[in-house]
Amino acid sequence: MTPPVFRFAPSPNGYLHLGHAYSALLNFQRAQESGGRFLLRIEDIDPTRCRPDYEQAIYEDLAWLGIAWAQPVRRQSEHLTEYGAALARLQATGLVYPSFESRAEIARLVAQRDGGGGWPRDPDGAPLYPGQAKMLSEAQRAELMAGGAPYALRLDMAAAVARVGRLSWEEAGSGPGGETGAVEARPAAWGDVILARKETPTSYHLSVVVDDALQGVTEVVRGRDLFHATSVHRLLQALLGLPVPAYRHHQLIRDGQGHKLSKSTLATGLRTLRAEGVSPAEIRHRIGLV
Ligand code: GLU
């Protein structure tokens, strides 16, 4: 049997906090216990939010925690052509279309249609895309694109789901509703998701499934906040013919008041704690890992 491959995949858009420490240490420990490999992947496709100093801080904070990772580190910003190739394969299936509305326009369209306030929202709480741009003709799309209009490439969710049928994944942890074991994917809950934008030829969903497959990741261990995103990942794996890793969604570490941790809260930031003299062993203790 080939050894399992684990990964920790932070975005360098802020400093790591106790929740990241939990996820990284859990992945690292499981890799060590199983004789597997532990990879670090830098998810830096958004140049407006990612910064080199945050990336440097990730390396420092993880090393301080006693974590060692395989080299070279995969930095997503260096692999846009690979995501572009996967996108082209999806486009060739006829399931991808461009939409041209801004966020504000989408909000207006939804408000117009949302008589009783029952407009469907995705698991993150954003209103589903109303599907306006699906009606545009090829000529209209070509004209808008040639005119330099910004656009997002979306997956026609209903058609994609009809194409692949029912999908599931093996969940070793649990979802927010206690889902575990063979979990049925429900990608339709996300509507016509964005796969790429004019200025960025990929998205979180697309790059994650491409990378997990390319890097031979067999175990995805990550926070429960990404449980519902797995439905989209499972769908993209099916459309692209990629292998399906096992998933373990873990509990989220909360602050003293029970709130989810945020990169903007300094109190639970690993840098702050380190500067206060907290040791890596104390960090492990605080998050329930010994
Ligand atoms: N980059 C994502 C984040 O920072 C995690 C991606 C994943 O583990 O699939 O939340």
Side-chain angles (χ1 to χ4, degrees), residues 7-13 20 23 41-44 76 204 208 212 220-223 225-226 233 247 263:
R7 92 300 197 273
F8 175 60
S11 294
N13 54 15
H20 297 106
S23 206
R41 184 165 77 220
I42 301 292
E43 302 211 324
D44 60 347
Q76 290 190 325
Y204 160 62
V208 135
D212 284 341
V220 173
V221 178
R222 61 185 175 193
D225 51 340
L226 291 168
H233 301 172
Y247 288 89
K263 278 182 176 152

Side-chain angles (χ1 to χ4, degrees), residues 8 15 73 79 81 117 126 135 184 196 215 217 228 234 248:
F8 175 60
Y15 293 119
V73 169
H79 298 276
T81 49
M135 327 304 177
E184 185 174 348
Q215 297 191 285
V217 171
H228 291 297
R234 192 58 202 87
R248 178 183 293 270

